[in-house]
């Protein structure tokens, strides 16, 4: 037994590859999700597990380690790992802290610290795990896989992408307040993707269904300063600062909001709905500045605006009273564009605009930029859009 998944950058221990004789004797057995995905379960405080004859080959030294796990509680779970001998030759120790919605809701957490023995060496080795749990349940955490990395690059393997699952609780094609997802021939996706204007291959999925995960070749990531909460359908920007990064958002439902906390700086934000409502709604008491360098940029769909809303039915562009939004255009390019389908409707029929509150006035206005026979595009007629 041992790992079956290897590439040039990492090695992955799947739950199914565990040493059953040792692990079951020490309290850890295999359990399964409804799709028959195996995971280590029945894990309580003090339980231990083992992986036998693991060849590290391409991952010496170890620079990062990730755990794919589910833990639907707030209890702390610490994993201590040893090489070749139980309780000795410690590789490292890590705390799994993320609370998932259920035991069938896998979460992937990557650590770049906590590694005490980075060099493992050639040949085959046994890996021992010891679990220290703060709770008293008989099943505190489930472990799907453990990956070792010889690089600090945050990459996903093809197997990771091909086996990414979408929980039944999130499937939705009726509740328009929530993100859309239903398997269909059109492959309409719901997602929040963080992209880099200077690197087309560095997409990070903040939230995404299987189509988005495969299309953007990125599993859901933890990104400092950006988080998404499915329960209230809110994306939070918390002092995120990277002018080369932009957000591509699609089919997230009419209750979707972007909450601003502190001062945020990005290249652009694009929001679209393919027959599914997705407003451009800023809330919170923080601020965001888009394209501070006032440079030329072409985003999704060949759009040059840095704040872009695209809908197929009447949509909403809302900035709540305390939220502050600033967007800079490039030369004659509009910083904000509102685009709508369904037969080129007039602006008032196409969009609900709400952001001019007391003491907050815009310098310009939205004008009809025509478009084609199907779509209307309304451009902000100043180089700078600012709602204080």
């Amino acid at each position: 037994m041992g790992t079956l998944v290897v590439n040039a950058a990492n090695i992955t221990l799947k739950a199914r590859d565990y040493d059953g004789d040792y692990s079951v004797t020490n309290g850890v057995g295999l359990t399964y999700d409804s799709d028959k995905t195996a995971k280590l379960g029945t894990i309580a405080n003090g339980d231990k597990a083992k992986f036998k004859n693991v060849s590290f080959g391409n991952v010496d030294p170890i620079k990062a380690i990730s755990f794919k796990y589910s833990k639907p509680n707030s209890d702390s779970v610490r994993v201590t790992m040893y090489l070749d001998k139980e309780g000795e030759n410690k590789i490292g120790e890590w705390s799994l802290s993320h609370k998932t919605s259920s035991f069938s809701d896998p979460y992937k957490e990557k650590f770049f610290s906590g590694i005490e023995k980075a060099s493992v060496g050639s040949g085959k080795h046994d890996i021992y795990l010891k679990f220290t749990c703060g709770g008293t349940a008989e099943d505190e955490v489930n472990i799907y896989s453990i990956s070792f990395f010889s690089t600090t690059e945050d990459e996903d393997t093809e197997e990771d992408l091909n086996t990414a699952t979408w929980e039944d609780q999130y499937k939705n094609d009726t509740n328009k307040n929530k993100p859309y997802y239903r398997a269909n021939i059109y492959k309409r996706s719901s997602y929040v993707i963080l992209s880099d204007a200077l690197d087309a291959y560095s997409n990070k999925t903040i939230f995404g269904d299987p189509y988005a995960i495969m299309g953007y070749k990125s599993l859901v990531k933890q990104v400092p300063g950006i988080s998404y909460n499915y329960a209230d359908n809110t994306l939070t920007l918390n002092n995120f600062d990277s002018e080369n990064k932009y957000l591509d958002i699609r089919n997230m439902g009419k209750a979707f909001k972007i909450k601003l906390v502190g001062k945020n700086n990005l290249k652009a934000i694009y929001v679209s709905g393919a027959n599914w409502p997705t407003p451009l709604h800023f809330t919170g008491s923080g601020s965001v500045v888009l394209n501070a360098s006032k440079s030329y940029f072409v985003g999704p769909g060949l759009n040059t605006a840095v704040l872009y809303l695209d809908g197929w039915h009447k949509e909403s562009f809302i900035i709540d009273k305390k939220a502050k939004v600033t967007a800079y255009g490039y030369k004659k390019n509009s910083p904000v564009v509102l685009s709508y389908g369904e037969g080129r409707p007039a602006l008032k029929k196409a969009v609900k605009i709400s952001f001019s509150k007391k003491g907050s006035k815009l310098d310009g206005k939205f004008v009809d930029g025509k478009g084609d026979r199907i779509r209307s595009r309304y451009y902000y007629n100043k180089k700078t859009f600012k709602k204080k």
Side-chain angles (χ1 to χ4, degrees):
M1 285 185 152
T3 185
L4 302 178
V5 184
V6 182
N7 66 24
N10 68 51
I11 186 169
T12 297
L13 306 177
K14 292 290 205 179
R16 63 174 179 263
D17 300 324
Y18 84 139
D19 183 338
D21 291 338
Y22 173 92
S23 303
V24 170
T25 302
N26 286 275
V28 177
L30 276 188
T31 57
Y32 298 87
D33 284 342
S34 59
D35 62 359
K36 298 183 180 179
T37 300
K39 54 191 180 179
L40 301 181
T42 67
I43 297 173
N45 187 44
D47 286 349
K48 294 175 285 190
K50 177 183 178 181
F51 289 87
K52 195 175 180 181
N53 296 329
V54 179
S55 177
F56 278 79
N58 293 324
V59 288
D60 190 15
I62 300 168
K63 293 185 178 179
I65 185 170
S66 72
F67 293 85
K68 185 177 181 181
Y69 66 93
S70 56
K71 186 177 72 68
N73 55 63
S74 300
D75 299 337
S76 62
V77 174
R78 188 168 73 251
V79 183
T80 308
M81 184 180 296
Y82 302 96
L83 180 70
D84 291 327
K85 192 170 183 179
E86 181 183 334
E88 298 183 16
N89 214 6
K90 186 176 176 182
I91 295 177
E93 190 170 271
W94 304 272
S95 293
L96 309 183
S97 58
H98 183 79
K99 180 180 178 181
T100 61
S101 62
S102 70
F103 272 122
S104 298
D105 178 23
Y107 177 79
K108 198 170 187 178
E109 187 168 12
K110 194 169 186 177
F111 301 90
F112 297 97
S113 61
I115 301 166
E116 297 184 19
K117 182 178 177 57
S119 181
V120 173
S122 60
K124 294 184 177 181
H125 300 273
D126 293 340
I127 300 296
Y128 291 86
L129 306 175
K130 181 179 178 180
F131 298 93
T132 305
C133 306
T136 57
E138 294 182 359
D139 198 0
E140 287 285 335
V141 66
N142 288 179
I143 305 291
Y144 290 81
S145 62
I146 304 169
S147 296
F148 302 85
F149 298 82
S150 61
T151 173
T152 56
E153 293 298 318
D154 201 2
E155 298 175 348
D156 296 310
T157 67
E158 282 300 316
E159 181 174 10
D160 284 336
L161 299 172
N162 290 329
T163 59
T165 59
W166 183 257
E167 298 307 316
D168 288 344
Q169 61 183 315
Y170 296 140
K171 288 183 178 178
N172 172 49
D173 62 357
T174 56
N175 182 0
K176 291 193 173 182
N177 284 313
K178 291 289 188 179
Y180 175 90
Y181 174 68
R182 177 173 66 87
N184 63 87
I185 61 173
Y186 302 107
K187 293 190 176 181
R188 294 187 182 124
S189 295
S190 57
Y191 53 71
V192 177
I193 304 291
L194 180 68
S195 297
D196 193 316
L198 303 179
D199 184 358
Y201 300 98
S202 66
N203 299 305
K204 295 186 185 299
T205 307
I206 308 301
F207 172 85
D209 65 30
Y211 293 143
I213 287 170
M214 290 302 297
Y216 285 89
K217 296 188 181 302
S218 169
L219 295 174
V220 173
K221 303 288 186 183
Q222 280 187 301
V223 176
I226 302 181
S227 61
Y228 173 72
N229 187 307
Y230 182 87
D232 60 10
N233 201 2
T234 299
L235 177 73
T236 299
L237 302 180
N238 188 344
N239 290 299
F240 183 79
D241 183 13
S242 182
E243 198 201 328
N244 291 323
K245 297 289 196 300
Y246 66 93
L247 287 166
D248 187 6
I249 299 164
R250 189 180 188 209
N251 288 348
M252 292 298 290
K254 64 182 181 181
F256 177 73
K257 296 180 291 295
I258 301 173
K259 183 178 180 180
L260 303 177
V261 177
K263 296 179 179 180
N264 299 277
N265 179 37
L266 296 95
K267 173 59 70 177
I269 297 176
Y270 297 91
V271 173
S272 65
N275 290 315
W276 199 254
T278 307
L280 183 50
H281 184 175
F282 291 98
T283 186
S285 57
S287 65
V288 63
V289 176
L290 304 173
N291 195 28
S293 64
K294 303 179 184 178
S295 58
Y296 180 70
F297 175 66
V298 179
L302 301 179
N303 302 306
T304 56
V306 295
L307 192 56
Y308 188 89
L309 174 64
D310 181 36
W312 282 97
H313 299 283
K314 185 168 184 177
E315 273 300 357
S316 298
F317 179 27
I318 303 170
I319 305 176
D320 288 348
K321 185 174 182 179
K322 294 183 179 180
K324 301 175 181 65
V325 177
T326 304
Y328 295 101
Y330 170 75
K331 292 186 177 179
K332 294 184 179 180
N333 290 340
S334 174
V336 184
V337 171
L338 312 177
S339 175
Y340 297 90
E342 296 298 311
R344 300 196 70 244
L347 181 60
K348 288 184 178 180
K349 291 184 178 180
V351 59
K352 173 188 176 183
I353 299 177
S354 174
F355 42 78
S356 294
K357 302 292 184 182
K358 288 182 179 179
S360 176
K361 243 183 166 179
L362 296 176
D363 291 332
K365 61 182 179 179
F366 286 93
V367 297
D368 190 349
K370 301 303 178 184
D372 53 38
R373 65 183 182 85
I374 298 176
R375 310 187 69 72
S376 283
R377 291 182 179 87
Y378 297 95
Y379 294 79
Y380 189 67
N381 68 343
K382 298 287 184 179
K383 291 181 183 178
T384 301
F385 173 94
K386 184 176 290 187
K387 184 272 179 184
K388 297 181 179 180

